[in-house]
Every structure is written in structure tokens, then in C-alpha cells.
Amino acid sequence: MSATLTLIERWTKTREYSLRIAAYLSAEDAAAQSMPDASPIKWHLAHTTWFFETFILETFDPDFHAFHPAFKLLFNSYYNGIGEQYPRPQRGLLTRPDLKEVLEYRHAVDERIQLLYQHHSSIKCDELIELGIQHEQQHQELMLTDIKHLLSSNPLNPVMLAEDTGILDTVDAIPAAIDWHYFEPALQEIGHHEAGFCFDNETPRHRQFIEEFQLASRLVNNGEYLAFIEAGGYTNPTLWLADGWNWIIQQQIKHPLYWRHTNHWQEFTLHGLHELDPLQPVCHLSFFEASAYASWVGARLPTEAEWEYAAQKNAQLTQLFACCWQWTSSSYAPYPGYAIAEGAIGEYNGKFMVNQYVLRGSSAFTPKHHSRLTYRNFFPASARWQRTGIRLARSIGKD
Amino acid sequence: MSATLTLIERWTKTREYSLRIAAYLSAEDAAAQSMPDASPIKWHLAHTTWFFETFILETFDPDFHAFHPAFKLLFNSYYNGIGEQYPRPQRGLLTRPDLKEVLEYRHAVDERIQLLYQHHSSIKCDELIELGIQHEQQHQELMLTDIKHLLSSNPLNPVMLAEDTGILDTVDAIPAAIDWHYFEPALQEIGHHEAGFCFDNETPRHRQFIEEFQLASRLVNNGEYLAFIEAGGYTNPTLWLADGWNWIIQQQIKHPLYWRHTNHWQEFTLHGLHELDPLQPVCHLSFFEASAYASWVGARLPTEAEWEYAAQKNAQLTQLFACCWQWTSSSYAPYPGYAIAEGAIGEYNGKFMVNQYVLRGSSAFTPKHHSRLTYRNFFPASARWQRTGIRLARSIGKD
Amino acid sequence: MSATLTLIERWTKTREYSLRIAAYLSAEDAAAQSMPDASPIKWHLAHTTWFFETFILETFDPDFHAFHPAFKLLFNSYYNGIGEQYPRPQRGLLTRPDLKEVLEYRHAVDERIQLLYQHHSSIKCDELIELGIQHEQQHQELMLTDIKHLLSSNPLNPVMLAEDTGILDTVDAIPAAIDWHYFEPALQEIGHHEAGFCFDNETPRHRQFIEEFQLASRLVNNGEYLAFIEAGGYTNPTLWLADGWNWIIQQQIKHPLYWRHTNHWQEFTLHGLHELDPLQPVCHLSFFEASAYASWVGARLPTEAEWEYAAQKNAQLTQLFACCWQWTSSSYAPYPGYAIAEGAIGEYNGKFMVNQYVLRGSSAFTPKHHSRLTYRNFFPASARWQRTGIRLARSIGKD
Amino acid sequence: MSATLTLIERWTKTREYSLRIAAYLSAEDAAAQSMPDASPIKWHLAHTTWFFETFILETFDPDFHAFHPAFKLLFNSYYNGIGEQYPRPQRGLLTRPDLKEVLEYRHAVDERIQLLYQHHSSIKCDELIELGIQHEQQHQELMLTDIKHLLSSNPLNPVMLAEDTGILDTVDAIPAAIDWHYFEPALQEIGHHEAGFCFDNETPRHRQFIEEFQLASRLVNNGEYLAFIEAGGYTNPTLWLADGWNWIIQQQIKHPLYWRHTNHWQEFTLHGLHELDPLQPVCHLSFFEASAYASWVGARLPTEAEWEYAAQKNAQLTQLFACCWQWTSSSYAPYPGYAIAEGAIGEYNGKFMVNQYVLRGSSAFTPKHHSRLTYRNFFPASARWQRTGIRLARSIGKD
């Protein structure tokens, strides 16, 4: 979305894009939940609407009444400040309301928001609309990752998207070998400081000292990762973090999440089942797999400060954005001086700052204009259903 | 179904009744699976069709070709003799084929069956059509119990059925107190011997000696069971089998499955949430709860032979059928001389004869004409999502 | 123990035999618990003492005071009527009291029992001493099965017993082929009726009608069972009960519990690791394995009534006792008219009458004089750490 | 140990101190394992011996032969480079070798080490002896934490240590209120650089920029933590990290690990059960509890760099060492340029650098001379059985 659009125009486009994704799905597709970490598409559609209803209409609309009294329970994700939540692993059991009623819910809340926006104006309200837009964009990416996970469990290998829909699950291949870009030691400013929206976890801007290092020009690709598999990468414990080794043994992990092996290698995508393309970036890897691969090639994952510093330098690095989220070695933690916001909105980010690792960049599933140099995505070390890949780093003369 | 109907007429009516149940449900309702023991309605519709396609068309139709090559995997329930099965706990993830395609599958197989029946006639084929009818009737009852379990997990307390649909989830109340009917010791013939269909587990007819006993004239009702709860029945370990006590502690069971307690007692039914009716038979109880209640009143559960003997005598006993399945103290085991059929059909009953208890009679969810004096239903001791209740028995002068 | 011994002489010998078993073990051997179903030897020594202290001294000794106030909690197994119990799976954590103190506990209680017996006489007290003897004998068998399970988990393959200790873990081989003995249909009295002790679950004596059948003259041996394994018995689902198949898949069961396969077959025993003897009865099998083997040879397991009837006839059957417990197809249930005793003693048997299968006979681990024709042992279908084997049965012309 | 002692004198004293701890325990105490994270004392005694046997004798002793061929399997903890390991959760089942044999093993290996040291000298060997000393000291602390956990599960509340043994489970109380010490922003050198031993994870020394902050002069004490409990700290989700909240709900955590509440508060220690002392530092807390407490008082945990910087300044801070390990907000990660050593020794530290948090300082259980300013201890966020406590930090004007 161009920066020249108004807030309400951007809000309108964001709301429409969610419906565009859902339009490729049947009512059944939109209702199922394939694992506790994922949610039904219908639930995403309702929850993002609930966000606007709860944080904006309930606060600013003098004539507010809830669309349905039970939706506060059903579509609250994790905000203890708002009240009880329906158990997350059972979201797939909510056959009622059906998709049609959820779409009516969206329509009704959207009308109230538009009406409110015509008569009410405040910085606080604008900030919350902006947060709601960003929140819905995050869920748009989750809609694509969650439906991909669901469809992948179906032996029919369903095709959700024709190639020409504009919603991508592959990226442009880069045939060139990896170049190593050198970065000098620096006392670097890290975190958001420009105009425009950011999440609270990107602040405050602060200083970090970064020792010299090298960063790979592009992401690791399928062909390179296949060499790791064929060299016995998944059977050699010395390459793995201890928790990672236990995890691949217990879960019987032997390749990236959507790779399939019969007599040759294929990959499941939203465009269907395809031959594995050796030049595509390897995708849907856990932090454990990314670390093991890096060990195998004598490299390591970058810290998030290294990544941000390098990205600021704009140093001919490719595939930073719109390709795969890139695991960093940094656990998700507050920046020095980070303060959690008051109220339920304060639950947005801060309470997840434990046992997760930061990912930088953005993916082919990330909505346009949702990515930033300072953006901090985060998932547990075993998560694989996001579009997650590997950009390698090296310390100088040491790794 | 009247006995005067032909086989193919009965087959037609049976196929129609499944669709009639499904007609009350949305595509989403029909797709969800609330627990591994239950299946989606859509899956029941497809599986019962798969049964006719596999055991009849594939055997007898010279022009047979499968409606869809993957359905053999997707809709095989547990027949190892047929091949692999899609994992049971994940049936709710099969958003494709959608409901519409499953209905087309039914239609296509039904047409082939009708065509076959016009040109082909054999005892073996007729037997398998009969078995397919009985099999589908069993699944019709499961459709109702499974959808009830699903809808009960929804805080909206959905109403599936208006009271006048003819599909019942309540029965006529019997205000009278329990009478105890006396039965003399007898060497009794047990098992099926009449004309007409029975499952193989009802045979061979054989002799059992039954000591004298008493049997209750009607089922235990909600009011009586509530007295057990209010007397601390769920907190007194001496009333419970050891496994039952562990089960109620671990699962935090405190009342029948669909009872709800706020400031008063209600019961969830397919007709919606209602005030608890003290005269309705208590329903949706586990074997453990049935046993504990019986201990509390100084009685016991009947054996299945006692039940069948008493039912043969037709001794003014009420609520034998079309009300609640009645737990017996008999574990599910083969009758003397029972032989498992050859081939995949042999997996129908015999392999389940361990760690299950026999229930006798039938329930308000059982399709008409599906019940018999010799019918042996069976579930594990902790199962509660079936319409299961209590008929008490007493030994003479001993319990 | 000869029947000519007095009660107190039998009590003395029983108490001594427990110590004799323990004498072969170190303090560490006696303290460890290898799984929740098993208990430490030290715990068995203390619990059997607690039984006499609680049910006899506390009831009949006017000067009673507890040896240690905490032992009522620590050494109560499952008697809810007595009070709380220390969690069963954690018995191996009770390093205090140590073995020395437990032996002092035994000594102190034994002195009080002897003193009481000199001055007090009552039928009730004698009955409880008898029950305490029988109870301790049951635990003597458990001591041997539990220590065997513990030692088997040690890669050192420890030898507990030299061959000449008189405590056996093998039996005399029978080289002859199985003979099939025919039994006529009969209305048979089943259950205990003679003078002498029996457990309440063996009563009341009652009538059962038994159809004609055949019973194998001896138990299935290792060589025969090995043929089942080599014929793919553990990979053919059609031979197994459904629960049994799931169990062997999940637990990765591929042979009897104590068999070991390297380039040849060995068997772990209390006498150490030995070559597998094809003529020894196959032992340490679950009900599931026993059933699958029976299916494979076209036979079945006997009912407990068939077993008792045949044993009464004394029909040249061998290995009925002192060899392996023999799985029957009968689930553990009360006999008609069975009544649970009042008070905590009533918890001895009745509350376990669900989801267990009856075993008949006795094993090489069973103390002498502890076995009877009417004895009903019982374990869940998956239990394997007892000395459990297979005697086959056949219906006439049907299986 | 004074720095004037020779390497072999320090080795001798270290070996003796392990035996001194074990001397307070019975054979049973030394054999039990209370949870998978803990190990039996006997296992610690053997494993630390195995370390010297494997990494020194096997490498440098030309006449090497293993004390027992099976010990390589039994007492290897996690070194995949050495070979297979006995399953960690089952270490309590290793009743053989018994304690006596393990002590003989120690004696035999010690004699060989002493003999080797007389005739062999090399920097590599000295380094490995030093590593073996440090390794055994780490296990000495684990011996105390593991036995404490074991004894705490015993309702008898056993006393392991009289107060005058010199092995402490309490520390000097500090009655004064917390002072907040201010630290200026600095580009600080972090990591080991002095002469003397350090673990590889303390290197390489590198630069980190630290923003200004405040650090508490002493640890949080029991009285202060009790106020948190009484104010509802364990029932207010807004104070907790999301994973922490799930953890206290699922595990039903309501107070520090060894606190006991009847009508008043007590604390279990190796000196027995005592009244809770409000001035003792609160101890045996998880990272989650430490974080929640910090949130409640409007503070936070320090980063490990802040802690090391402040400790370098020696700024009147108390209870840095020999009291409680202090949780930091830093996840355990490699320092820039960290390189894992070659061979099995390389498994010592690096493979654990995921999903753990760094603790700084040392505890009352830490052997003398084992602590350093740069020492990095690490445990998962839910670990509580170590002596872990809270030192608070504050950002300037922001938290």
C-alpha cells in the first residue's frame, strides 16, 4: 500500500485482502484446525474483526452494542485483560457461527467503524486503527501458513491457488553462489526511530556493539540443503543442538516440513505438489535445522543486531524481504528500556518474550508494506509451519 | 421398516435416512470431529458409501471402477484386510472432498448398486446388501451421538433439531417407582436363532445357566441419579471400581456428560439446552458411573444373559428399547463356538472383543427396526457419548 | 507347608520366606522401582508387615501403638478405607526408612503378633492372620516378578539366584507334542466349596453350563512360539485383537518380555541370561500375545470355567500348577451372588473387577501351598511381567 | 582451595570432597533418582570417575584397560562422540554396580591417575585434569541439589546434614533494605581474560555496549517474596510471561519449590524442615517466578552483561557469590567468535545453547574456588531444583 493512501483507505484495503484470501476456500476449508498452533481461517476472519470491535468500537462508539454477546469469549485469542478465552486447541470445533455469519459480522463491524470514523477523530483512535491494520496483516500471513498446513495433511494434495492469483508460495530463484559480505565492528543504533508505525517490541532505539562479521548474500537454497540431507545431516548428532537432536529423534524429522520423498523429491505448496526446485530458498525449517545446517557448513546464524546493521547498510544483500523469514541466533527479549503498554494491549508482545527466537526480514506470504528493517518476528525453535529459511553468518577467522 | 418391504426398498429407505439426518447440518457442522472416538458426519456419509462400493460393487460389478482412487484410503475405517487407513483422529482435517462431492459420491454409488441389483442376483450379494443396511443404521446412530458431542462443545449451545422432526433425544417419562421382577434359575438358550438378520457376534445360539435374580422394571431416572450426586456419590471412593475412581479424579468427572450446573441443573440435547427433567432416564453415563450408582443403592448391573433371558420372558419390563442402551456387567467376548468370518468382513466384530462391556436394548437414537432381543452393543467402560443408561439387577438375598 | 502345621507355624514360615527372598538382594536392589506397576522389595517387606499391624494389631491389641506414625501413609497400598496413600509410582523414592529399619519394623510387628496370639484367640483374628498369610504369599510372588523386571533393565544382566536356591525361574520341560483332551457338555459347579482358605472372589459356588470343548495337555513352549514369530506373527494384524495390534505397534513389541535377540535368541531369568530353551513353556506374554498365538494355530484361550472344570476332572493335563499362569478369555467379574466384605478389607478384590482378565493355575514363582483349583488371578490384557503363558482350547468343530 | 596448591593436590581434594558428601548418605539414598533432570549420587560418583578414565587414562595411559567394559555405556552422560548412553530417566534402576563397587571404581581410577601423573606430563593432560576437577565440582553442586530434591519427596522430611558439617543450605541474612546502585553506560569488555581456568563458554572476551541501569544491592528475600504471594502474585496472569502462566496453571505451582504451608510457612532444607526465615534470600525459584516477581515490583532481571559489568565494578553489592544463583534475562548463547572444541569434549557446553537462561554468581552449594565473575551457569526457564534466586535491575526512568 502506497504511503499516499489515507489511514481509512489502508484500513479498507486490509479488510478486503482478508476476504480475498478466504475466497479461495470452501466453508469446510475455512473451519478446520490442523494443530493447536494453527487456527481456522474463519476464526482469523472473526478474531481480526473482534479486535476492531473490542479495542475501537467498545471504547469510542457511544452507541456500542456487541454484535453477539458470545463472540467476546469465542474470538478473544489470549488477552487475559479482556476475559476468558475459548480453548485454543478446540477452535476447529466452532462450527457455529458458520462462515456466512462471520462474514456478516465482518460487514457489520466494518460499517460501524466507517461510521465512527466519519464522526469521531482522535489520535488514540487512529493509533488503534493502525494497530488493527497491522494486526490483521499479521493474521493474513497466518491464514496462508495455517491453510497450507491443513491442506498438506490431505492425501489429495489440494491446490488452493492458481499460479496467477498474486498470492505467492515461491520466489525468484538466484542461481549465483553465496557471496560473503564483510561488516566492520561498530557501535550501532538498533530499533525503530523513523516516522510511521512500528510494534512496541522494536523500541526503544538503543546502542549495541557489534564485532566484525560476514553475512551471506542470499538464502540457502533447496539444492544446498539437499546436499546436507544426503551427507547424513539428520543422522549426525554432533551437528545439532542437544534439544534439536532430541526433537528430530522423537518427531522422526528427516527433511523440511513440506518436502515429500518417493523415488524423487517433491514439495507441497499452495500451488500444489511440485518437483523440488534446487534454486528455490529452502523453506519451512525449524531453528534447530537452520542451526545444524550452519554447523555443517562451518558457519552460524546471525544475531538480530547483525542482520539489522547489515540491512541498514543495504550491502547488495538479496532476499532480505518477501522471500523467507530468516532465523537469527537471538532469543526474543526486550530491548533495554522496553516498557509494556498499559491495559490489554500490553499483552500484544511483551508476554511472549521467553523461549522464542527472533526472525528477521519477511516472507512471500507477508502482506505488502508490512515489512520493515526493524521488524521482529518470533517463534519457538521447533516451529516449521511458517515460511522460515536460513541466511548464514560467519565471525572473522573463528567459526 | 415393515418386514413387508423388499430388500432394495429397505436399502433405499436406509440410504435416504442418512441424508435426512445430514440435512439439518451445515457443511461446517458435517466436517468437524470433536474427539478421536467420534467422526465427522461427512465421513460417516462417505464411509457407509465406501462400504457398498468396496464389498459389493468391487466384488460383483464387472464394470467396476472406483469413484475416486483415494477414497479407498480416506474412507476405510479399520479394515486392515482392505489396506491402509487415514489416521482416525485426523478425519476432521479432510476438508476435501467437500460435502457436495461426498453427496455426489453417494449418488453415483447408489446408482451403480441399483443397476447391479437389476441384473445380478445372488445370495452372497443380498447378504452383503443386508449387512450394508445394518452397517449404515449403526452409523446413523453414531451420526447423532457424534454431532451431539460436537455441538455440546460450542458455548452457543446450538439447537440441531426442532422437537417435531421425529428424530428424538428424549423419551416418554415413567413416573412410577421401580418394580423388581423376579426370574427363576434356568438353563437358558442365549443368542440369535430366528429368521432374519443378525450380526455374527449374536451367534451361535448356546446354553447358559442363570441363577435366580431380580431386574428393575424401568431405567434409573435423572431425579434418582441427582440424589446420588447430592449424597456425595462422586466423592466416595468405596462406591467405585478402582479404575473408575482414577478416571473420575483424572478427568474431573462430576456428573453425566451433558449435564450442566450453574445455579440449577440443565441438560444439553439435540433439541437445545433444557431444564433437567427428573423423570427422564439418566443418560450418557459410563460403565463406571453405572456401577457406582448400583453400588450406592445396593444393587448391581445385570449380566447380558440375565437381560436377554428377562427380555425373552417379556415380563412387564419397560424402556427395554428405543430409550437408553443399558450397561451390563458382561465384558464383550465371543459366544462358545463363535467363528470369525473369512476376509475383511471378519474384522467387523471379532477383533473388538477385549476391554469393552456389552450394552443391551437400544436407544432413542437407534434407527427403527434395527434392534433385537439378542443385539450386542459394546463400548469401553469410560465411554459416555452414546445414549447409555442404567437398568438395575439384584441377586437374591445377597447383594 | 503341610496342612498339619498350625496357623502360627504357617504364619512363621511365611514371614521367614519373605526374608529369604530379600536375602539375595543388596539394599539398593531392594529399594528401586522399575515401573509404576512394580514395587520395591523393601516396600513389599514393609507393606505386608503394615497389613498385620493395621488389620490385626490395631484391631485386637489393647496396648497398640504404631511402630512409626508415618508408616500408615507410606505402606498403605490402596485401601481408601484406611486413609491416604503415598503415590504408587514414587515408591522407589522412599530411601528412608532404609532396609535395616524396615527389617526392624518386621521384627517388632512379628513380636507383637506372637504375643497377641498367646493371649488372644478369636475366629475373626485367626481369619485375618490367615488372610495376612495369603496376602504375604501373593506379595512373595510379586517380589520375584518385580525384582526380575528391575534386574532385566540393567545392561549387566545381573544374576540374582544360583540354580540351587530352590527359588525357580524355569520348569521341567515336556518334550511331547500337545494332546487335545475332550470334555463333555456339563452343568458344572464352579467356585470354592471345600474346607480351607479361599479369597472372596472364589465364592459363592454356583452353577455354569459349559458346552463341549477340548483343552491342550500342556502349555505352549518357546519353540512353538518362536515359529509364530518367524512366521510374521507380530506383523500380521488379522491375528490380533484391535487393542492388541495398537499396543504392539505403539510399544514396538516384537517378542516375549524377557527374550533378547542378537544373532541368536536368549532369555533373561533370575538365574541370569541363558540360551532360549525351545522346550520351556513360553512365558511373560500379554493376553494380547496369547490371543494372537491362539488365532494363528486355529485355537482359542479357554474360559475360566472350562479351565476349572477340566482341572477338577484331573484329566492327565500337565503344567496346571507351578509353571506359568494361564490366560483365560474370561474378564475378571464377580460370581453370581458375590458380596463385597464390609470395611477396608472389602477393597481387597472387588474393586478390581473391571478391565482385567483371569489367569488360572499358578507359576514357578508362586509360593508352595498357595495354589488352588478355584484360584482366580487377574491382570490387565497388556501385563507381561508376571510369569504368564498359554494353554490352548478348542470348541468342537467350530474354531 | 588456595591458588598455591598444585594441580594434583587440588585434584586430590576435589576427589575427596565428593566422598565427603556421599558419606552422609545410605546406599539407598545414593541410588535413587527423583526425576529425569536429577541423577543418583552413586551415578555422579561414577560419572565423574568415568570422565577421568575416558578423557585422561584412555588417552594417555599406554597400559589402559577399562575398569569394567559396561561402564562406558552406563556412566557416559551425553557424549555422543563417545558412544551410546544408558537412558537418563532410568539411572535410578542401576542397582548394580552397587555403591561399594562404585567406590572401588573411584579408587582404582584414582590410583591410575596418580601413577600416570608421576610418569607422564603434558599440557594437554594437565588441561584435561583441570577440566576434570571443574567438571567434578559442578557435579558436587548437582549432588547436593539432587539429593535435596529426592529427600524432599519423602514425607519423613529427612535431615541429611547437621548444621555444623560445613556444607550449607542457608546463608547469612541481610536485614537492610535493598539499595539501588547506579551504573553508567559503557562499552564493556565481557568474558574471561585472566590467567587460570575458565570454561569455553566464557570466551572469547569481547565488547558489549551497556546502557545505564540500576542493580539491587542484595537478593530478594523470603519476606519480600511472601508479600508477592499474599498479594495474589500466583493468580494474576498480567504479571507472568505467557509460558510461565501456562506452567504454573498446569503444574499447580503456588510457591517456591521447597516451601510448605500448613497453618504457617516452613521450608525444607538439607538441615531439615525449618520455619521460613523472612530474611533468607528466596531460593529455588524458576525464571518464570523471578520474572513475575520483578514485574510486580516494577523492576526486571538484569542481563548477564549488566551483572558482569556491575560485579567487575565491585560496587558494594552483596550476595553475589555463595548464596543463590541469580537468574538473568539473557538466554544462553555463544559469545561472538565462540568456537566449539574438537571431539567429544566439544559437547561440554556448546550444544546446550538453546532454550536456557544464564544464571550468574554462585550458590551456597557451589564448591569453594569454583566461582568466577565470568562464570555462566544455565538452566531452562522452569528449573527450580537448583539454588536459584532473584537480583533485581532497573532501566533508568523507563521500567
Side-chain angles (χ1 to χ4, degrees), chain A residues 28-29 95-96 99 153-154, chain B residues 28-29 86 95-96 99 154:
Chain A
E28 287 122 314
D29 290 336
T95 59
R96 321 274 178 103
L99 180 57
S153 71
N154 194 319
Chain B
E28 288 122 314
D29 290 336
Y86 186 78
T95 59
R96 322 272 179 105
L99 180 57
N154 193 320

Side-chain angles (χ1 to χ4, degrees), chain A residues 165-224:
Chain A
T165 58
I167 302 173
L168 301 176
D169 197 5
T170 53
V171 299
D172 290 338
I174 296 178
I178 285 177
D179 274 335
W180 291 95
H181 291 267
Y182 171 82
F183 295 88
E184 295 186 344
L187 183 60
Q188 183 66 24
E189 301 244 321
I190 296 292
H192 193 78
H193 73 308
E194 297 170 0
F197 176 84
C198 76
F199 286 111
D200 62 354
N201 63 7
E202 300 168 51
T203 66
R205 185 143 169 118
H206 63 285
R207 292 166 285 180
Q208 289 195 37
F209 186 80
I210 301 166
E211 301 278 5
E212 60 178 350
F213 70 101
Q214 290 178 322
L215 200 63
S217 58
R218 63 158 170 80
L219 305 189
V220 174
N221 66 33
N222 285 334
E224 290 161 340

